[in-house]
Amino acid sequence: MAYSLDHLLVIGISSRALFDLEAEDEIFRQQGLDAFRSHQLQHENKVLNPGAGFALVNALLKLNVLVPERRMVEVVVMSRNSSETSLRIFNSIKHYGLDISRAALTGGAPLSPYLKAFNVSLFLSLHEDDVQAAINSGVASAMLYPMPPNAADMEQIRIAFDGDAVIFSDESERIYQQHGVEAFEQHERENAKKPLPEGPFARLLVALSYLQNQFRAPDGRAFPIRTALVTARSSPAHERVIRTLRAWNIAIDETFFMGGVNKSEVLAAFKPHMFFDDQHAHCIKASDVVPTGRVPIRQTQQ
């Protein structure tokens, strides 16, 4: 009987995002494919260290043990490696006890054409071209930054999002970039009761909200997953955000309207397994304290 990935939260993650393969990537770039192949074959029984996306994947997979005989999350390792050089990846997955059995190994070909084939809800990679192509195809995707030192390992799954160009579209962000803060605030006041258009991570947030509702206690709390919105917006631009989430029937656990204040201290206190933002400057600062992924702006074909 065929196994369906429908109605599951499917995470596609590159091997470099799941494990620390920076030294191996350097060998590939400096010495070529043959040297990389030889290195991987010689070291295929040497366990790799966790990479930038390991903590999030490991935490999400634990949802599958909370309800007997019901899976909620699947993870697919997606790599440009060939099957010949991939045994080290599978051996490391086994070493860490990760519940991962599926992989797409494309032998150097782009990964984005296979995302929808695996019904991927979120794609994480260190390869910018793959992330951009995934975003362009409508899949929530982020390019991960190096792991910060002493990253927190929380039992509860914690995910933090920026607002504009991540959860919401970049429509309002473009007004700010092109015309300044006064024009942005005026636009948001005039459209306060009009829900913001969906951004690339809107459907992921909906999926997480659905999962939260499966574990919600009588007091309204959902212990396994906690979400946060950490946005540069402030009053008067806050109202449209609140009304949009209400229209989507989504309750984010913690919301921070930063008004331009550095997000790093709030993120360090929240301790997310991953923070998603569209601005490189914000991501660089955040990546010093928490695992961080940058969400590129979708590029449309002219």
Side-chain angles (χ1 to χ4, degrees), residues 2-224:
Y3 183 82
S4 175
L5 294 172
D6 294 342
H7 310 299
L8 292 168
L9 177 62
V10 182
I11 310 299
I13 185 167
S14 72
S15 53
R16 280 182 63 207
L18 183 60
F19 297 116
D20 182 358
L21 284 160
E22 294 314 291
E24 287 73 13
D25 185 62
E26 187 68 16
I27 291 172
F28 174 76
R29 292 179 183 278
Q30 297 295 327
Q31 302 177 41
L33 179 59
D34 288 342
F36 170 80
R37 174 184 174 276
S38 177
H39 176 85
Q40 288 296 77
L41 294 178
Q42 290 175 16
H43 295 84
E44 65 183 25
N45 292 316
K46 183 178 180 181
V47 174
L48 293 161
N49 290 324
F54 182 96
L56 177 61
V57 163
N58 189 37
L60 286 169
L61 283 171
K62 291 177 181 177
L63 290 176
N64 289 333
V65 304
L66 297 181
V67 180
E69 300 182 357
R70 182 183 177 189
R71 294 186 69 81
M72 298 186 179
V73 177
E74 289 288 352
V75 173
V76 181
V77 175
M78 312 193 79
S79 172
R80 292 193 179 205
N81 288 345
S82 65
S83 58
E84 181 185 30
T85 59
S86 66
L87 271 183
R88 191 177 182 192
I89 304 300
F90 288 107
N91 288 340
S92 297
I93 287 171
K94 181 179 180 180
H95 170 82
Y96 290 107
L98 298 176
D99 183 14
I100 299 173
S101 59
R102 292 174 176 81
L105 308 169
T106 65
L111 298 173
S112 60
Y114 302 100
L115 296 175
K116 291 188 178 179
F118 283 97
N119 197 34
V120 169
S121 307
L122 172 65
F123 176 60
L124 304 173
S125 176
L126 275 68
H127 196 291
E128 188 162 11
D129 289 347
D130 281 332
V131 172
Q132 184 68 65
I135 280 285
N136 293 349
S137 69
V139 177
S141 310
M143 191 178 77
L144 302 190
Y145 286 66
M147 282 283 288
N150 304 317
D153 185 16
M154 301 288 289
E155 184 69 22
Q156 184 183 55
I157 301 164
R158 294 191 168 208
I159 305 177
F161 303 89
D162 181 30
D164 294 292
V166 178
I167 294 176
F168 314 119
S169 80
D170 65 340
E171 173 189 282
S172 298
E173 176 73 15
R174 290 199 307 269
I175 292 173
Y176 172 77
Q177 295 293 340
Q178 295 171 12
H179 304 291
V181 65
E182 291 185 5
F184 166 77
E185 291 181 350
Q186 179 65 25
H187 179 267
E188 295 307 290
R189 278 193 294 265
E190 293 173 353
N191 293 276
K193 292 181 171 60
K194 180 181 178 181
L196 286 153
E198 291 185 359
F201 276 61
R203 281 179 287 177
L204 176 64
L205 184 62
V206 170
L208 290 172
S209 180
Y210 171 80
L211 290 176
Q212 284 182 306
N213 288 332
Q214 306 309 299
F215 301 103
R216 202 166 293 281
D219 64 1
R221 297 185 179 184
F223 175 75

Side-chain angles (χ1 to χ4, degrees), residues 161-164 167-168 184-185 188 192 196 228-246 250 252-264 266-267 275 282:
F161 303 89
D162 181 30
D164 294 292
I167 294 176
F168 314 119
F184 166 77
E185 291 181 350
E188 295 307 290
L196 286 153
L229 171 63
V230 186
T231 172
R233 285 177 177 244
S234 60
S235 177
H238 69 292
E239 182 178 350
R240 195 176 184 195
V241 168
I242 294 170
R243 291 186 180 277
T244 297
L245 294 173
R246 188 184 296 171
I250 289 175
I252 288 185
D253 297 297
E254 302 187 29
T255 305
F256 304 93
F257 295 103
M258 303 298 294
V261 173
N262 187 344
K263 301 177 181 181
S264 298
V266 163
L267 290 169
F275 169 58
H282 294 165

